[in-house]
C-alpha cells in the first residue's frame, strides 16, 4: 500500500492535468472532503507544475504518511539525492511557530525512522502562500536535517535552486526511497492517539519492535479466545524492559476489543494517575481536532466522556465494583503497572480513611481478582515493570500470586519466564509461588525490544548497571550507545542551555527530580510544588505549566509510564555514592536521615531508575555543587555522586 495519496516521477507529474491528479488524491482521502482542502491541493499542484519544469529528473509525492505522528506531509520532493519536505499554508501571511515545528517534525521523523533517509540530507521548507520573502539559510545539523527555510510562492523556486547548489548528497533512487522500511517509535501519547483511531501497532512501531509487540498481543488474544471458548478464568503477566511498550501493548489489546460485543470488551485500568490523566486528555484533544478537520463539531467535554470509558483509574473501578456486587461489564481487564498494586495494609488503611470502610480484609490484587471471578469467564492482563515499585505499600507481583494460590487456585495462569528474574523476583519468592499454581510459561509474553530510546537499545542495561553501582559495566555499556548523549553538569543553567540546544520542532523536554530531593530547593527546583501532568506533558511552549518552560519539576510519580524526548535529571543527596555502594537518605525536619530498610532503599533506587529512563533521545544530569555553609547540602554529598557518574563514563558538559 502506497504511503502517498499520489506519487509519480516529476516528468509524469508535469504531463498530467491538475484535475486528474486531484481526482487521484481524492480517491485515497479517507474523510468527507471539504472544498478548502480540494482548493489547497489544486493550488499546490499548479504551483509545482510551474516550479518543477526544469527538474523532470525528480519524484514527487503528495500527502505522504508520517505514521508515528498520525499525519501526512503535504509534499515530498525527491530531487538529486535530497529529500525536500514541503508544507503549504494556503492564504497565510505569517510563518508561525506551530507551522515551522510541524514541517520540522516531519523532517525529523523521516531522519529517525525512515530507513532510506538515514544517510540523506532532509531539507524542510514551509511555504506560506501570502507570506513575505525571507532570506534563505541552509544550516545543516549533525544528523543531516537542515533548519527549516521559509518561502512564499514566488521565492520558493529560488529556495529550491539554492538548496540544490548548497546541499551535498550521496544520491538515491526514488523507488528505493519510496518502498523503504518505515520504523517509527512513538511516544505513548502518540501511540494512544493513533491506536484510538483503530490502527494497529504495525502502523506505528518499527519492524522489530512491532513484531515483538504483535507476537505478545497475538498470544494474549489467543489466551482470551481460549478462556471465552472454554468458559474459564485466566490471568497473564506481560513483562518487558523499560520503554519496551508494555503500556502500548495493553492499549493495543484494549482497543482491539472495542469493536467486540459488549460481553468481551476490554477496559484499560491504571493506578498511575498522571498516566491516566495525560492519556485521557490527549485522546480527547485529538478527537476534537480530528473532528474539526472532518467538519464535525465535537466539544472537548463530550470527547473526555468517551475517553473516560476506555481508560479508567483503578480506584474508580474498585469503588464501583465494591458498591455493586454484580460482575463488571467487561470480561477482559488490562491492568497497567500491576506490580504497583497495593498490599493489604495499604488498601485497608485507604478504605478506612477515604471510604469509611473498616476491617477491609483484601489486598488490591485479591479484591480485583474477586471482582473478575464473578464472571463465568474472564481474562486479567497484568503489565509488569521490573524494578518499578516506587512507593510504600506497593506489593510487587508476589501479592498477585499469593492471592491466586490462596483464593483462586482454579484460575489458569500464564506468565513470561522473565518473571523469575531478579528485577521482578527481588525477594526470591515468586518461583515457589508459581510452582503452586496452574501456571504456564509463555515466551511471547516478554517485550525485549526497547521503543522509548530509539537511539539506544542498550540504555536500560546501562541504567541497570548504574543503579546496581557497577561502574565498570556501566562505562562499557555507555560506549555502546554513542547516538544517545548522556552528560552531566554542576550548573543548572548549563543543563538548561544544553537541552534547549538539542531539541528541535516539537521535541519535548523537561525538568525531573526525585520526590525526595527536598534540598534542590536552593537551586530553584522545588519538588513539593506539584506539576499538573496534563499541562506539563501536553501544553505548548507559552504555557508556564508546560514542561518546556523548565519551571515546574516532575517527580518519578508524575512521569512513570510517560516520556520526554530530552530530560534534565536533577540528582539530590537523597541517593549518594558511598564506598562503592548506593546509600539512601530521607530529609526530615532539618536534617537527612539514613534509609535503613531494604524496601525503602529499593523504592529510592527505583525512583532514580524511572527518572533516568524517561528520555527518548538524551539526558543531562544536574549534580549541584552544594554549599559548605549548609550542612544539609555538604559538597561532599554531591561530589561523591559526581565522581561515581564519571566512573560510569558520563562526561561533563560545559556548553
Amino acid at each position: 500500500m502506497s504511503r502517498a495519496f499520489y506519487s509519480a516521477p516529476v516528468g509524469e507529474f508535469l504531463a498530467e492535468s491538475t484535475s486528474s491528479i486531484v481526482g487521484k488524491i481524492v480517491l485515497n482521502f479517507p474523510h468527507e472532503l471539504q472544498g478548502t482542502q480540494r482548493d489547497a491541493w489544486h493550488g499546490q499542484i499548479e504551483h509545482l507544475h510551474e516550479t518543477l519544469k526544469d527538474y523532470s529528473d525528480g519524484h514527487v509525492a503528495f500527502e505522504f504518511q508520517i505514521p508515528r505522528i498520525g499525519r501526512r506531509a503535504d509534499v515530498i520532493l525527491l530531487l538529486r539525492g535530497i529529500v525536500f519536505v514541503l508544507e503549504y499554508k494556503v492564504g497565510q501571511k505569517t510563518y508561525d511557530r506551530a507551522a515551522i515545528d510541524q514541517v520540522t517534525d516531519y523532517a525529523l521523523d523521516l531522519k529517525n525512522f525512515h530507513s532510506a533517509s538515514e544517510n540523506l540530507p532532509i531539507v524542510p521548507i514551509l511555504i506560506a502562500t501570502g507570506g513575505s520573502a525571507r532570506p534563505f539559510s541552509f544550516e545543516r545539523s549533525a544528523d543531516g536535517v537542515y533548519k527549516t527555510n521559509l518561502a512564499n510562492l514566488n521565492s520558493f523556486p529560488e529556495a529550491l535552486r539554492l538548496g540544490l547548489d548548497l546541499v551535498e548528497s550521496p544520491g538515491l533512487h526514488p523507488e528505493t526511497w519510496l518502498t523503504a522500511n518505515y520504523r517509527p517509535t512513538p511516544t505513548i501519547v502518540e501511540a494512544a492517539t493513533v491506536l484510538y483511531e483503530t490502527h494497529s501497532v504495525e502502523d506505528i512501531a518499527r519492524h522489530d519492535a512491532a513484531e515483538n509487540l504483535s507476537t505478545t498481543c497475538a498470544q494474549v488474544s489467543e489466551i482470551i479466545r481460549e478462556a471465552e471458548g472454554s468458559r474459564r478464568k485466566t490471568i497473564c503477566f506481560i513483562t518487558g524492559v523499560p520503554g519496551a511498550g508494555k503500556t502500548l501493548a495493553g492499549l493495543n489489546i484494549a482497543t482491539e476489543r472495542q469493536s467486540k460485543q459488549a460481553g468481551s470488551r476490554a477496559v484499560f485500568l491504571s493506578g498511575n494517575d498522571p498516566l491516566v490523566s495525560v492519556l485521557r486528555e490527549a485522546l480527547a484533544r485529538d478527537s476534537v481536532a480530528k473532528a474539526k478537520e472532518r467538519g464535525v463539531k465535537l466539544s472537548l467535554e463530550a470527547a473526555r466522556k468517551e475517553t473516560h470509558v476506555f481508560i479508567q483509574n483503578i480506584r474508580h473501578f474498585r469503588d464501583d465494583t465494591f458498591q455493586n456486587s454484580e460482575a463488571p461489564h467487561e470480561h477482559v481487564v488490562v491492568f497497567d503497572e500491576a506490580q504497583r498494586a497495593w498490599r493489604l495494609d495499604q488498601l485497608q488503611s485507604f478504605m478506612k480513611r477515604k471510604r469509611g470502610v473498616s476491617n477491609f480484609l483484601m489486598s488490591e490484587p485479591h479484591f480485583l481478582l474477586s471482582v473478575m471471578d464473578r464472571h463465568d469467564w474472564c481474562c486479567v492482563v497484568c503489565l509488569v515493570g521490573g524494578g518499578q515499585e516506587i512507593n510504600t505499600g506497593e506489593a510487587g507481583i508476589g501479592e498477585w500470586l499469593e492471592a491466586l494460590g490462596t483464593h483462586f487456585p482454579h484460575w489458569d495462569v500464564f506468565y513470561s519466564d522473565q518473571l523469575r528474574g531478579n528485577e521482578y523476583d527481588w525477594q526470591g519468592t515468586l518461583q515457589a509461588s508459581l510452582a503452586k499454581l496452574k501456571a504456564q510459561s509463555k515466551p511471547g509474553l516478554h517485550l525485549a525490544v526497547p521503543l522509548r530510546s530509539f537511539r539506544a537499545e542498550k540504555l536500560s542495561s546501562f541504567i541497570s548497571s548504574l543503579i546496581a553501582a557497577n561502574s565498570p559495566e556501566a562505562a562499557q555499556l555507555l560506549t555502546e550507545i554513542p547516538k544517545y548523549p548522556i552528560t552531566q553538569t554542576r550548573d543548572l543553567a548549563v543543563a538548561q542551555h544544553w537541552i534547549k540546544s538539542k531539541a528541535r520542532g516539537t521535541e519535548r523536554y523537561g525538568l525531573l527530580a526525585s520526590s525526595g530531593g527536598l534540598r534542590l530547593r536552593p537551586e530553584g527546583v522545588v519538588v513539593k510544588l506539584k506539576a499538573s501532568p496534563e499541562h506539563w506533558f501536553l501544553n505548548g511552549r507559552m504555557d508556564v505549566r508546560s514542561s518546556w518552560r523548565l519551571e515546574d519539576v516532575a517527580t518519578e510519580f508524575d512521569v512513570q509510564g510517560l516520556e520526554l524526548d530530552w530530560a534534565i535529571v536533577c540528582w539530590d543527596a537523597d541517593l549518594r555514592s558511598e564506598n562503592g555502594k548506593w546509600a539512601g537518605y530521607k530529609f526530615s525536619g532539618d536534617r537527612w536521615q539514613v534509609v535503613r530498610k531494604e524496601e525503602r532503599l529499593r523504592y529510592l533506587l527505583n525512583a532514580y531508575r524511572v527518572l533516568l529512563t524517561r528520555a527518548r533521545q538524551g539526558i543531562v544530569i544536574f549534580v549541584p555543587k552544594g554549599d559548605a555553609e549548609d550542612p544539609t547540602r555538604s559538597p561532599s554529598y554531591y561530589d561523591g555522586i559526581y565522581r561515581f557518574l564519571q566512573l560510569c563514563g558520563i562526561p561533563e558538559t560545559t556548553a
Side-chain angles (χ1 to χ4, degrees):
M1 181 177 176
S2 175
R3 294 193 184 95
F5 286 176
Y6 173 87
S7 175
V10 169
E12 293 181 17
F13 166 73
L14 294 174
E16 191 168 0
S17 70
T18 298
S19 59
S20 174
I21 296 170
V22 170
K24 290 178 179 179
I25 295 174
V26 170
L27 284 174
N28 290 297
F29 193 66
H31 307 301
E32 183 179 344
L33 185 63
Q34 304 295 310
T36 52
Q37 179 61 74
R38 186 189 292 271
D39 292 343
W41 286 327
H42 191 280
Q44 293 166 19
I45 294 165
E46 289 288 300
H47 179 235
L48 290 177
H49 266 160
E50 183 65 30
T51 304
L52 299 179
K53 286 179 179 178
D54 297 326
Y55 303 107
S56 60
D57 54 329
H59 196 103
V60 65
F62 283 78
E63 297 294 328
F64 186 85
Q65 184 183 22
I66 308 293
R68 181 182 65 91
I69 302 173
R71 303 188 70 170
R72 290 181 175 272
D74 282 346
V75 180
I76 299 293
L77 174 62
L78 307 176
L79 191 57
R80 300 175 192 175
I82 302 170
V83 181
F84 290 95
V85 183
L86 312 181
E87 187 66 21
Y88 284 83
K89 296 301 177 185
V90 178
Q92 273 197 199
K93 296 182 179 180
T94 60
Y95 303 96
D96 61 68
R97 179 62 182 265
I100 295 171
D101 285 345
Q102 181 183 357
V103 67
T104 302
D105 284 349
Y106 292 160
L108 291 170
D109 197 89
L110 289 171
K111 173 58 65 174
N112 291 328
F113 308 121
H114 185 249
S115 60
S117 300
E118 184 177 1
N119 299 313
L120 295 176
I122 313 289
V123 179
I125 301 177
L126 173 64
I127 305 170
T129 60
S132 59
R134 296 291 182 90
F136 302 118
S137 175
F138 288 86
E139 298 178 21
R140 183 186 185 279
S141 297
D143 60 1
V145 175
Y146 283 73
K147 182 179 178 180
T148 295
N149 272 290
L150 312 176
N152 60 24
L153 292 177
N154 294 325
S155 65
F156 173 69
E158 181 187 356
L160 190 58
R161 285 194 298 272
L162 281 174
L164 292 170
D165 288 342
L166 298 175
V167 177
E168 296 182 0
S169 173
L172 82 158
H173 191 282
E175 287 302 321
T176 300
W177 190 91
L178 289 163
T179 58
N181 289 329
Y182 212 118
R183 300 172 298 199
T185 58
T187 67
I188 190 59
V189 171
E190 291 166 343
T193 54
V194 175
L195 284 175
Y196 197 57
E197 293 183 272
T198 69
H199 291 70
S200 67
V201 292
E202 288 85 354
D203 296 324
I204 57 174
R206 70 176 194 267
H207 177 71
D208 53 348
E211 189 173 24
N212 195 187
L213 282 164
S214 296
T215 298
T216 299
C217 292
Q219 188 129 80
V220 173
S221 292
E222 180 61 27
I223 289 170
I224 294 171
R225 282 194 296 271
E226 289 181 0
E228 184 175 11
S230 61
R231 318 311 284 181
R232 293 189 62 80
K233 298 161 187 180
T234 64
I235 184 170
C236 51
F237 296 95
I238 297 176
T239 59
V241 300
K246 294 182 292 295
T247 301
L248 174 55
L251 287 169
N252 190 58
I253 292 163
T255 54
E256 278 186 340
R257 309 195 72 77
Q258 290 309 294
S259 59
K260 303 289 184 182
Q261 292 182 348
S264 60
R265 286 182 182 171
V267 62
F268 183 89
L269 300 178
S270 178
N272 184 338
D273 286 342
L275 177 70
V276 171
S277 298
V278 170
L279 290 183
R280 280 177 168 177
E281 184 66 14
L283 294 180
R285 292 185 189 184
D286 187 67
S287 293
V288 171
K290 294 288 170 55
K292 185 178 180 181
E293 290 175 5
R294 298 192 299 270
V296 177
K297 189 173 182 180
L298 175 66
S299 72
L300 185 57
E301 196 57 39
R304 283 171 176 161
K305 287 180 180 178
E306 291 181 13
T307 64
H308 281 219
V309 174
F310 174 53
I311 299 175
Q312 296 185 32
N313 188 293
I314 186 64
R315 289 193 293 279
H316 300 157
F317 181 85
R318 185 181 63 216
D319 289 350
D320 289 344
T321 51
F322 176 74
Q323 296 167 6
N324 185 350
S325 61
E326 296 181 0
H329 295 297
E330 302 86 2
H331 281 247
V332 180
V333 168
V334 180
F335 188 16
D336 195 32
E337 302 287 359
Q339 78 284 351
R340 297 188 62 189
W342 286 351
R343 297 187 311 239
L344 169 61
D345 58 338
Q346 185 76 3
L347 185 53
Q348 193 174 52
S349 173
F350 176 86
M351 294 297 282
K352 184 176 181 179
R353 289 182 293 105
K354 301 293 186 179
R355 302 292 184 264
V357 178
S358 300
N359 300 318
F360 192 84
L361 300 177
M362 288 185 276
S363 66
E364 195 162 53
H366 181 183
F367 178 71
L368 291 171
L369 290 171
S370 73
V371 169
M372 296 306 292
D373 197 56
R374 298 169 188 172
H375 283 298
D376 60 336
W377 78 272
C378 67
C379 183
V380 175
V381 181
C382 290
L383 310 175
V384 185
Q388 299 286 296
E389 301 91 351
I390 57 175
N391 205 2
T392 301
E394 293 178 356
I397 294 305
E399 195 71 39
W400 288 91
L401 300 183
E402 175 65 25
L404 286 163
T406 304
H407 305 285
F408 309 101
H410 54 288
W411 280 49
D412 297 323
V413 180
F414 300 95
Y415 66 96
S416 155
D417 198 51
Q418 296 294 318
L419 209 61
R420 301 172 184 269
N422 290 335
E423 287 190 3
Y424 303 93
D425 190 16
W426 60 279
Q427 291 179 317
T429 59
L430 298 190
Q431 190 159 334
S433 297
L434 286 167
K436 299 176 183 177
L437 298 169
K438 296 168 61 177
Q440 183 179 348
S441 172
K442 295 275 190 180
L445 296 180
H446 179 63
L447 295 167
V449 182
L451 273 169
R452 180 178 301 130
S453 304
F454 59 89
R455 291 178 180 267
E457 293 186 1
K458 293 190 176 180
L459 177 65
S460 61
S461 298
F462 166 75
I463 299 301
S464 290
S465 296
L466 188 153
I467 294 298
N470 188 341
S471 57
E473 183 175 83
Q476 174 56 42
L477 286 167
L478 189 59
T479 65
E480 299 177 32
I481 50 176
K483 292 185 178 181
Y484 186 97
I486 302 178
T487 187
Q488 65 172 326
T489 179
R490 312 301 297 273
D491 187 330
L492 184 56
V494 169
Q496 293 171 332
H497 180 269
W498 184 89
I499 207 166
K500 290 177 181 178
S501 71
K502 294 293 183 183
R504 292 169 289 176
T506 58
E507 291 178 346
R508 186 169 284 272
Y509 52 80
L511 197 62
L512 307 179
S514 157
S515 59
L518 300 183
R519 295 310 294 143
L520 292 167
R521 184 171 179 172
E523 304 286 348
V525 180
V526 186
V527 297
K528 287 222 168 186
L529 294 178
K530 187 167 178 58
S532 169
E534 307 99 296
H535 301 310
W536 201 82
F537 277 103
L538 301 176
N539 288 13
R541 285 184 176 84
M542 300 311 295
D543 193 317
V544 296
R545 300 164 296 179
S546 165
S547 69
W548 270 313
R549 295 300 289 267
L550 299 177
E551 294 184 21
D552 288 347
V553 58
T555 71
E556 68 273 19
F557 299 115
D558 301 314
V559 299
Q560 189 171 39
L562 294 159
E563 62 241 313
L564 299 162
D565 287 291
W566 305 88
I568 300 174
V569 177
C570 303
W571 203 303
D572 200 11
D574 55 336
L575 186 63
R576 308 175 197 169
S577 179
E578 296 178 352
N579 301 316
K581 296 181 179 179
W582 289 115
Y585 290 82
K586 177 182 178 181
F587 193 77
S588 180
D590 62 353
R591 67 195 66 193
W592 291 103
Q593 297 178 349
V594 178
V595 173
R596 301 191 185 279
K597 291 184 178 180
E598 181 184 350
E599 181 183 55
R600 288 301 310 157
L601 177 59
R602 181 174 178 81
Y603 290 148
L604 182 55
L605 289 168
N606 286 344
Y608 275 88
R609 186 197 306 275
V610 168
L611 297 174
L612 292 166
T613 55
R614 290 311 93 191
R616 290 157 50 86
Q617 300 200 52
I619 59 175
V620 54
I621 301 172
F622 165 55
V623 182
K625 294 178 181 178
D627 184 348
E629 297 182 359
D630 182 349
T632 69
R633 300 174 60 238
S634 170
S636 64
Y637 301 161
Y638 301 100
D639 291 346
I641 298 165
Y642 170 77
R643 285 193 296 268
F644 175 76
L645 296 178
Q646 276 189 317
L647 291 175
C648 290
I650 300 176
E652 181 171 6
T653 183
T654 56

